[in-house]
Amino acid sequence: MTRASPAPFTGRGPALPPLRRTISVGIIGLGTVGTGTVKVLVEHQRELERRLGWKLQLKTICSRSIHKRDLSWLRQPVNTTRDWRQVVADPKVDIVVELVDELRTARAIANAALGAGKNLVTANKQLVAEHGVELVERSQAAGVNLGIEACVAGGTPVLHAIREGLAAENFVAVYGILNGTTNYILTEMERRGCDFREALAEAQEKGYAEPDPTFDVEGYDARYKVAILSMLCFGQPARVADIPVEGITRIDRVDFAYAHRLNHTIRLIAAARRQKADRLEIFVRPMIISQRAQLASVLGAANGILLVGNKGGNTMITGRGAGGEATAVAVLSDVVEIGRAMAAGGGSTTPLGYTTWHPARSAPWGENVIAAYLRLVVRDQPGILARVCAVLARHRINIDSVLQEPGLTKKHLPFVMTLEPMREKLVRRAVSDIARLPFLAAPPLLLPFADLP
Ligand SMILES: NC(=O)c1ccc[n+]([C@@H]2O[C@H](COP(=O)([O-])OP(=O)(O)OC[C@H]3O[C@@H](n4cnc5c(N)ncnc54)[C@H](OP(=O)(O)O)[C@@H]3O)[C@@H](O)[C@H]2O)c1
């Protein structure tokens, strides 16, 4: 038998079939992400086409104020419209990219696009967290595809990693730093020893925080994102409103001083993890984490996600969580994936990683066991420690350590107790009793330790 000799190496790769068809994209919303997406598409167009094997055409762009915009930098003919319905109704548009800022409009666009048999890419985390299953079912009924990568961690491709690279994993937990604003504030408080207000003002000046920062600093943004991560990891959609959330506004610079004495730090952790009897514990809350934990190395406005699987162990992904061009890469990666599916003959994939879902079975609140950091601010007087210890003893909670920084004012004296593991609802009962003690100068702050790798 004779063997065919290998083709000589040319460095050009196998001959590509000619670009057979054009994929046309319509982009609705030209704010931070929309403008970034248009720019990256135009700048990377040839590379995107080489990856896709088809021509990629920016067919239409849409925003209500498009007539006021200078689009001279576009340097290619593109239809413009103020009416998103025209994008959806255009028979030449294959993929509708929805990048508006408001849920009702985003949902209307999504439903209209899928109803018209268009592929859809969206960056709206609230839409996907609250209506993701419904959107997937609609896209499957229409035989089209749905791209959602930009909804979590902006330019960090965590959803693809969970859905594709780790599709055979049985996840134990996912932990994330999912909000760049809060991580910037916390890591600046830590680095410079400044207080929350100062770090927030600086984040607003740099454009990391909105003028009204509530959505970020109270943890709501991270809650939508962890709801999506949880769906992809466990196939159990949770009601977003049922996910407990706590923000970072009560963290003080002194908490970093105490956390450092314990070789720990503080981060806003969004987590979903499997507890006993296949129940899920999902939450967003500030936690005390070891300085050696992988998530402690996520600094500034970055995002980081730690995936814990029962076979592959820990997979950590970090990167940019927001910003026009970083998020545009996620949006356009979805466009490429959808384009590839079209090139392969169509059919819809499973953007949420599952084809069937079970309603989330939540772990009952307060039954989780936590070791905790308790910061009390008191008007100093004799016998304080004894009275706090008596309350803890009454609730059968053991104290692990007591810390007090030197040189603090006696009228407003913060000190810290670390508590041994105990069911959270019992710890909370004890803390609400402590909050009623007459010498407390501020409400107690309770932060659980997160036992992270
Ligand atoms: N910013 C980020 O870094 C980031 C990261 C990840 C995900 N996301 C998500 O991406 C989406 C877009 O965010 P963004 O920051 O780019 O918002 P944005 O800067 O506020 O821009 C929103 C755009 O939508 C347009 N728009 C609103 N209603 C419209 C309508 N009825 N018809 C046509 N256009 C309309 C607005 O322009 P007109 O007023 O001119 O119509 C504007 O161009 C949101 O879902 C957001 O959560 C953002």
Side-chain angles (χ1 to χ4, degrees), residues 246 250 285-286 370 372-375 419 424 427-428 431 444-448:
E246 188 183 322
R250 297 197 49 229
R285 66 195 319 188
I370 57 165
Y373 164 106
L374 177 63
R375 187 247 293 153
L419 309 178
E424 178 158 5
V427 179
R428 289 209 174 261
V431 171
L445 176 76
L446 181 75
L447 300 175

Side-chain angles (χ1 to χ4, degrees), residues 255-267:
D255 294 312
F256 282 101
Y258 282 122
H260 287 175
R261 280 178 61 173
L262 298 161
N263 298 322
H264 281 60
T265 184
I266 304 165
R267 294 287 185 271

Side-chain angles (χ1 to χ4, degrees), residues 273 275-276 279-282 361-368:
R273 57 189 176 197
Q275 300 289 43
K276 275 188 221 138
R279 290 191 178 263
L280 281 187
E281 187 193 8
I282 314 177
R361 287 162 29 96
S362 311
W365 186 89
E367 291 302 323
N368 53 316

Side-chain angles (χ1 to χ4, degrees), residues 236-254:
Q236 297 182 21
R239 247 172 55 94
V240 175
D242 292 344
I243 299 174
V245 61
E246 188 183 322
I248 62 163
T249 52
R250 297 197 49 229
I251 308 293
D252 190 279
R253 68 175 114 182
V254 79

Side-chain angles (χ1 to χ4, degrees), residues 27-36 62-69 81-85 98-103 105-106 109 122-127 149-155 210 215 221 225 321-328 330-331:
I27 296 180
I28 305 171
L30 289 181
T32 308
V33 182
T35 304
C62 163
S63 98
R64 287 168 306 193
S65 62
I66 195 135
H67 53 295
K68 294 188 198 145
R69 289 167 182 263
T81 175
R82 295 163 65 178
D83 180 3
W84 61 262
R85 288 171 190 80
E98 176 287 300
L99 301 171
V100 303
D101 49 342
E102 189 252 332
L103 177 68
T105 313
I109 294 170
T122 178
N124 193 307
K125 61 203 127 224
Q126 187 177 356
L127 176 70
E149 184 60 62
C151 294
V152 180
E210 298 287 333
F215 188 64
D221 171 77
K225 294 168 178 171
E325 297 197 351
T327 308
V331 169

